[in-house]
């Protein structure tokens, strides 16, 4: 199954508490439901929502986290 492609402008419209999308590498992730479960708190996700959070993500996580945990939240590519 192929995932849809989004533009940076489309991702930027999802930066509210009701819709928290972010880009990590070239993937677009909808972390709206995950935010309340994030071990570091929802504030990190809210801060990165609507934009490219690649640098911030890798400053705090190993790539395995993206491959194992976050892949179920991947909704498309940039």
């Amino acid at each position: 199954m192929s995932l849809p492609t989004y533009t940076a402008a489309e991702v930027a419209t999802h930066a509210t508490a009701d819709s928290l999308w972010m880009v990590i590498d070239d993937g677009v992730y909808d972390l709206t439901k995950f935010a309340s479960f994030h071990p570091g708190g929802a504030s990190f996700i809210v801060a990165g929502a609507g934009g490219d959070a690649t640098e911030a993500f890798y400053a705090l996580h190993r790539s395995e986290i993206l491959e194992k945990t976050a892949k179920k939240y991947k909704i498309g590519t940039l």
Side-chain angles (χ1 to χ4, degrees):
M1 179 173 102
S2 179
L3 295 174
T5 300
Y6 297 98
T7 66
E10 288 173 306
V11 173
T13 66
H14 295 274
T16 68
D18 295 325
S19 185
L20 299 166
W21 289 17
M22 67 175 54
V23 175
I24 303 171
D25 290 333
D26 68 341
V28 177
Y29 297 84
D30 181 351
L31 300 176
T32 309
K33 292 180 181 176
F34 176 71
S36 63
F37 301 107
H38 184 254
S43 62
F44 289 103
I45 293 176
V46 171
D52 190 325
T54 303
E55 188 174 322
F57 178 84
Y58 286 118
L60 301 169
H61 304 86
R62 296 183 322 269
S63 61
E64 293 84 22
I65 298 296
L66 190 63
E67 296 164 8
K68 292 179 182 176
T69 304
K71 73 178 183 178
K72 66 181 172 183
Y73 298 104
K74 188 173 184 179
I75 59 167
T77 58
L78 190 64

